Structures are given as C-alpha cells and as structure tokens.
Amino acid sequence: MRSLNRRAVLAAGTLAATFAPRAGAAATAVAPLRDGHASATPFLWGAATAGHQVEGNNVASDIWLLEQIKPTLFSEPSGDACDSFERWREDIEIVQSLNLNTYRFSVEWSRIEPAEGQVSLSALDHYRRMVLACREAGLAPIVTLSHFTSPRWFAAKGGWFHPDAPTVFARHAERVIRHLGESVSHVITFNEPNLQLLGEWGRTPDPAVRQTMTDMLAAAAKASGSDRFSLMNTGDAAAMVAPVLEAHRQARQAIKGVRPDLPVGMTLAIPDDQAVGPDSRIEEKRATVYAPFFVEARQDDFLGVQTYSRSLIGAEGPLPVPEGAERTQMGDEFYPQAIGASIRYAHAQTGRPILVTENGLATQDDTVRARFIPAATAAVLAARDEGVPVIGYLHWSLLDNFEWFSGYGPKFGLVSVDRATFKRTIKPSAQILARIARSDLSR
Ligand code: BGC
C-alpha cells in the first residue's frame, strides 16, 4: 500500500496554474466573554476529531470523490472510517472517562447540505444530539465548521474561488449555529486554512505528485459534470487566502448575529519555526504563511494553534530533520516541546487567547506517545504559568482515524479502533493525559 505524507503532497505544489480556474464545572463553567476575550474556567482539557476522518461514508463530500476517482493521491478510501457517525455516544463516553472536559469535533457540511440548497434537518439534529450529549457528559463541545472537506457540489462550482463562496459558507455557519443552539462552547470556522502555504513554502514541488493532483482534480470535475473541482488547501494557495478570510469574516458575523456570546476563531498550522544561521529566511516564511491570518485573528475571540513538531529554517529555506533525530510515523521530528514556542509566538502576534486545538504525533508505539504527552503538556502549562492566556489543550486525536492521503497507516489516536469490528481500546498514553488533566483540574 502506498503511504503518502499529506504535508509532502501539499509541498508538491499548487495546481491553479493547471486547473481549478477562478470563476470569478466542566463545560457548564465556560465563563462569559470578558472584554471581548474568550475566557474559560477551568482549563479546557480535551481530545479532537474531524468528521471525515472518523464518521465514515461521507459520500457527498469532495474528498470522498477524490478517494474513489482514478488517478488518486489517496492511498485508500475512507470507507467506514471509525463508524463514529453511529458510535459517537461511545466516543463521548470515552472522552468523559479520561477526565477530560472538552470534545472537539466537526460537522460535515456535505451531510447537512448534500445538494445545494437542500438542507438535511436529520443531519443537523444528529449534530445537535452530539452537542447536547457532550453537555450531559460534562464536556464543552467545540465545533469545527470546515475541517478540509466541503460538499462535492461546492467543489464542482469552483470551491472557495467561486465569488459566492463566502456568502454560501456564512449561510451554512448561521444555519448550524442556529440549530445546534446555546450549548456549543466554541466555534472554529476553518481548520488550518494555511496548511498548503506551510507545506509549499520554500520547497520545490515533486512534478509527479503535482501531475497526479492535476489529473485527479480533472477527473473529479469531469465526474461531476463540471470544468473545475477546487477544495481547501488544493489549488493556488496564495490566491485562496483572501476568499477564505472573507468567508471567515462573514461566517463570524453570521454566528455573532445568532449568538453574540459564542467565542469564534480559526485554527492555524504553526510548527515551532527555528532560525538557523544569521541569514535564516524565517521572517519571510512568517510573513507568507501566518501573517495574513494573524491580522484577521486579531478580530476573533481566540486563535486555535496546531503544532506537531519544529521546523528549522536556514538561508535557503526549510532544512531537513537533523540527522539521527527520533522521527514520528509521518517523518516529523519527535519534538514535543514545540507547542510551547508556537503558542507564545501566536499570542505575541495576535494578542488573542490561545487554544491548543491539535497537538500529537503518529506512532505505532504507544510508549512514544506516553513520552510525548507529559513533555508537550508541560510546555503548554509553562507558557500558561508565564502569563500566556492559553485556554485549553486538545490532543489530536481521540481515535486512530483516516489520515487523509496516508489512509489508516498513521496512528494518532489515544484510542485504537479495530478496523473490522470498530471496537475502541483506550491506550495507556490516554491514561497519562487523563492523570495530567485531573491533576490540573483539581488544583
Ligand atoms: C489536521 C488533521 C490531521 C493532523 C495530522 C492536522 O493538520 O487538522 O486533520 O489528521 O494534522 O496530520
């Protein structure tokens, strides 16, 4: 089985030039906003998932089609995933059993609006039940509106490059928040809208991967009766920044119109960038990959930070992982302390409260995760002790799930999932996180 690292694929380059034309006590204790700052008491300790990666059979989404089409960059289809669309109650019970007080999950737009303008009340009810069940379990439900996937019809219309995209997304956001109601704790509009910029920065695209990407999208467009197929983090990354930020702004406004008190933010992929040598291009990277998003995030209630490792930046750009360094299953350097630096940096740039919305690693060996968690959480708590307003730590991921291009190979979960029976088994590393959360929450 081919296993492709998603970041490597993103680094393979943009395709806009070749395709995708532009058409034009726990949870209940979440405190009210103070001075526009989302403040939460107690600290949000949790785990995160994303709909497409765990629900299964998300058949009306753009990525489902790309998994099926030939050629494809996906090493295998998502299929039943973790069957969480059925087993979500069990997932929530597991989060609760781990002394955590927060569950982050995403709502799948393609289930809510499988054809343009046709809204599934049944799907909205499903997510409402999840939100309410979280509250009953003492968990703050953090809801992501866009975790990479969008409906197939949206991609076939040109995705984020369609002139109506921001309005269409804001309408979706308003509908979801209206239906999910008062119990939602925080909303994330977009998950890592800077991921492609990050993957591409300073790297030369692999022409073979780039060609397959172009062919895959062309095949998806054809299968959808369109001349385009465009989705998040796939296309001309620089050109996508403005429409996505406009969609974020309009969605934030729409959400505030329904629930002015609801904290709204986005999440960004931010490794711990470290300058190497006097001529490091680090500032150039920061200006390209984060700065436009930071400007917008200053208007938000919080910023979600997602860090997996560090990145060394020299005079030529990104440097390889140091020789002999311990690596994760994704090829990243094992570097748990990275999260401390990225949250300090993100807060310094935005002045916003920081929520660690993802942090973790892929490993087959749970003892490695058991070493990662204490070091990473200690780095977060040290920043908090210094006065950085960190409001929570959400581990990625609750479950071993569908890791996009890499399929089911990489194991990010606190909990393993039997691929034949969907049986969940809590790993020992999860108990380590549980102990850390309990000790912090009982201080
Ligand atoms: C994404 C997740 C993904 C994780 C590990 C993050 O960039 O938000 O969906 O599974 O990284 O690669």
Side-chain angles (χ1 to χ4, degrees), residues 309-375:
S309 187
R310 68 169 168 174
S311 177
L312 302 175
I313 318 286
E316 307 297 326
L319 295 169
V321 170
E323 215 171 305
E326 181 178 358
R327 284 172 179 253
T328 74
Q329 244 184 322
M330 301 299 278
D332 296 330
E333 183 181 358
F334 176 89
Y335 197 80
Q337 61 272 43
I339 186 69
S342 58
I343 57 183
R344 283 184 184 85
Y345 169 63
H347 174 65
Q349 294 298 313
T350 60
R352 295 288 83 191
I354 301 297
L355 175 58
V356 178
T357 37
E358 286 184 26
N359 176 247
L361 79 168
T363 177
Q364 299 267 21
D365 178 355
D366 192 54
T367 65
V368 178
R369 192 174 351 267
R371 279 192 284 125
F372 184 95
I373 290 173

Side-chain angles (χ1 to χ4, degrees), residues 6-7 53 147 191-192 308 358 396 403-404 412:
R6 184 163 51 87
R7 289 186 168 80
Q53 294 179 270
H147 198 121
N191 181 71
E192 296 186 342
Y308 286 86
E358 286 184 26
W396 184 271
E403 179 52 30
W404 309 110
F412 276 95

Side-chain angles (χ1 to χ4, degrees), residues 19 58 91 95 98 126 182 193 250 260 323 370 443:
F19 196 71
N58 190 15
D91 296 342
V95 178
L98 293 173
H126 166 89
E182 292 299 307
Q250 290 195 24
E323 215 171 305
R443 276 185 338 151

Side-chain angles (χ1 to χ4, degrees), residues 115-364:
E116 189 172 12
Q118 288 181 33
V119 177
S120 164
L121 289 175
S122 153
L124 284 168
D125 283 349
H126 166 89
Y127 293 118
R128 183 176 162 83
R129 280 193 291 275
M130 283 184 72
V131 164
L132 295 177
C134 281
R135 286 301 189 187
E136 275 160 30
L139 305 177
I142 298 189
V143 173
T144 311
L145 293 172
S146 163
H147 198 121
F148 301 145
T149 48
S150 50
R152 178 176 166 173
W153 59 260
F154 183 79
K157 277 179 65 168
W160 301 102
F161 290 122
H162 192 282
D164 294 342
T167 319
V168 170
F169 181 67
R171 192 178 63 208
H172 166 67
E174 178 177 347
R175 181 184 291 136
V176 170
I177 298 311
R178 215 176 265 294
H179 203 91
L180 268 46
E182 292 299 307
S183 294
V184 176
S185 166
H186 294 65
V187 178
I188 294 162
T189 55
F190 288 104
N191 181 71
E192 296 186 342
N194 70 328
L195 182 62
Q196 189 187 355
L197 284 172
L198 177 67
E200 288 177 359
W201 186 81
R203 295 198 171 87
T204 314
D206 174 334
V209 174
R210 189 183 171 132
Q211 189 57 50
T212 309
M213 180 76 97
T214 303
D215 296 346
M216 174 176 75
L217 292 177
K222 191 165 173 227
S224 307
S226 176
D227 63 349
R228 63 201 65 197
F229 202 83
S230 177
L231 53 153
M232 179 59 83
N233 283 320
T234 310
D236 182 338
M240 212 179 278
V241 174
V244 165
L245 286 178
E246 179 57 23
H248 170 76
R249 266 190 293 277
Q250 290 195 24
R252 181 180 61 213
Q253 205 183 352
I255 293 163
K256 294 289 185 183
V258 180
R259 274 197 56 196
D261 63 313
L262 182 57
V264 180
M266 66 179 116
T267 77
L268 295 176
I270 311 180
D272 172 7
D273 291 312
Q274 297 181 5
V276 177
D279 302 320
S280 167
R281 288 171 64 197
I282 189 167
E283 290 310 326
E284 182 194 324
K285 175 182 182 183
R286 288 174 161 171
T288 309
V289 176
Y290 318 115
F293 299 93
F294 285 157
V295 169
E296 191 56 42
R298 288 179 200 135
Q299 310 302 317
D300 291 341
D301 298 303
F302 67 94
L303 174 63
V305 171
Q306 315 202 149
T307 303
Y308 286 86
S309 187
R310 68 169 168 174
S311 177
L312 302 175
I313 318 286
E316 307 297 326
L319 295 169
V321 170
E323 215 171 305
E326 181 178 358
R327 284 172 179 253
T328 74
Q329 244 184 322
M330 301 299 278
D332 296 330
E333 183 181 358
F334 176 89
Y335 197 80
Q337 61 272 43
I339 186 69
S342 58
I343 57 183
R344 283 184 184 85
Y345 169 63
H347 174 65
Q349 294 298 313
T350 60
R352 295 288 83 191
I354 301 297
L355 175 58
V356 178
T357 37
E358 286 184 26
N359 176 247
L361 79 168
T363 177
Q364 299 267 21

